[in-house]
Amino acid sequence: MNWENIYKLALTWVKEAGERIRSSFDQTLNIQTKSNANDLVTNMDKEIEQFFIGKIRESFPDHKILGEEGFGDELKDLEGIAWMIDPIDGTMNFIHQQRNFAISLGIYENGIGRIGIIYDVVHDELYHAFKGKGAYLNDKVLPALSETNIQESIIALNATWVMKNHRIDHNLLIPLVRDARGTRSYGTAALEMIYVATGRVDAYISMRLSPWDFAGGAVIVEELGGIVTNLRGEKLEFLNKDSLLVAKPGLHQTILKDYLKEGKW
């Protein structure tokens, strides 16, 4: 398998998809809802996913594809090579702000992340990693992550998870929010994982994400020494939804042991 060729093509396609998205900013979007009124999808989400599928099918017809908008395959297992695609992660931000969204792409072989690509389209920041070969922002090498403590940490966390109307152990999150230096919420899992990878935040927590939300970011974070698990400290489930804890080394263990270990996540 020529992984260098796959990597090169994937980067080229992501950049081309980003240009397509930027060119849509002056157009009127066709906006629809999915599971609820706040679960949005646009014609661009669908068109970008179909763009990727066309490219992958043409070049790698034996590869599997898992995409958010459902145009790919229905994966029963992770055998072989699987592309996990979120064409626009942060669709609500894309609609309302035309910023704070990203293309997210992860390529896995037998369940192991080989390539991760996150493209911040508006800022033209292409984050990418090839397992064992380092992680990059455009052509600049990203430094390895260093340890930190909770008192000096900024945690990316959606405030709704600390509210009582969710069937989670929200009371366990309140001390974490209290003890951290601060919290942030950006509305896009892909970028929040990248912000951990680049040290802009120190940890990211979410409750219910799909594989295409975290597949690309997980490769990049782990390449830099960060730790990616669910909130039980287990390996992520790439065929179903799962919770997510992404953090710098040391901090990840602290959050699990001191704040999350009693939770039913």
Side-chain angles (χ1 to χ4, degrees):
M1 181 58 60
N2 188 343
W3 280 100
E4 291 285 354
N5 184 50
I6 295 174
Y7 190 30
K8 181 179 179 180
L9 285 174
L11 289 169
T12 299
W13 295 340
V14 168
K15 290 282 283 188
E16 186 176 338
E19 184 56 41
R20 287 174 176 238
I21 293 172
R22 280 191 294 270
S23 69
S24 76
F25 283 170
D26 294 330
Q27 302 173 16
T28 300
L29 292 172
N30 177 5
I31 303 169
Q32 299 174 316
T33 59
K34 294 193 285 187
S35 62
N36 60 66
N38 294 323
D39 186 9
L40 305 176
V41 63
T42 72
N43 56 302
M44 283 307 300
D45 294 79
K46 297 176 180 180
E47 289 174 18
I48 295 301
E49 182 166 309
Q50 290 170 323
F51 162 79
F52 279 116
I53 289 174
K55 294 290 189 182
I56 297 165
R57 296 278 192 236
E58 180 181 2
S59 298
F60 310 107
D62 58 329
H63 291 191
K64 300 174 183 178
I65 304 170
L66 181 64
E68 179 176 16
E69 308 313 331
F71 296 110
D73 304 309
E74 186 175 341
L75 267 59
K76 301 295 185 182
D77 56 60
L78 292 175
E79 293 181 5
I81 297 177
W83 298 58
M84 302 184 194
I85 305 166
D86 194 338
I88 299 179
D89 183 67
T91 299
M92 187 180 295
N93 292 346
F94 172 62
I95 294 168
H96 286 271
Q97 304 172 349
Q98 289 191 345
R99 65 191 66 239
N100 295 322
F101 66 90
I103 299 170
S104 178
L105 173 63
I107 308 176
Y108 282 63
E109 182 182 30
N110 300 324
I112 298 172
R114 298 296 184 189
I115 294 170
I117 303 173
I118 305 291
Y119 188 29
D120 184 340
V121 174
V122 172
H123 295 103
D124 192 26
E125 293 179 345
L126 183 65
Y127 301 88
H128 53 102
F130 186 0
K131 185 176 178 62
K133 300 292 181 66
Y136 298 81
L137 165 53
N138 296 326
D139 296 325
K140 180 182 178 182
V141 178
L142 292 171
L145 292 170
S146 57
E147 295 192 10
T148 189
N149 59 56
I150 193 70
Q151 290 77 21
E152 296 177 335
S153 296
I154 296 177
I155 311 294
L157 172 71
N158 191 318
T160 58
W161 300 129
V162 191
M163 295 165 57
K164 292 183 179 180
N165 62 339
H166 286 281
R167 285 178 285 183
I168 60 170
D169 293 335
H170 68 280
N171 284 318
L172 295 178
L173 298 176
I174 294 172
L176 176 63
V177 170
R178 179 196 62 218
D179 293 346
R181 175 166 284 174
T183 60
R184 298 292 185 269
S185 180
Y186 299 94
T188 158
L191 288 183
E192 288 177 287
M193 293 182 78
I194 284 303
Y195 293 164
V196 175
T198 55
R200 297 171 189 171
V201 301
D202 301 288
Y204 170 51
I205 293 174
S206 191
M207 301 300 160
R208 289 188 294 273
L209 293 176
S210 297
W212 49 77
D213 292 314
F214 48 69
V219 177
I220 299 171
V221 171
E222 290 178 343
E223 187 67 16
L224 295 169
I227 302 174
V228 182
T229 68
N230 62 25
L231 297 189
R232 299 179 299 279
E234 302 164 347
K235 183 179 178 181
L236 289 175
E237 169 60 65
F238 283 95
L239 292 176
N240 298 293
K241 289 189 175 182
D242 208 345
S243 59
L244 182 66
L245 170 60
V246 183
K248 291 180 175 180
L251 181 62
H252 185 280
Q253 294 90 322
T254 297
I255 292 174
L256 271 180
K257 180 173 65 75
D258 295 345
Y259 298 95
L260 302 182
K261 68 177 180 179
E262 302 299 332
K264 297 180 176 63
W265 311 107

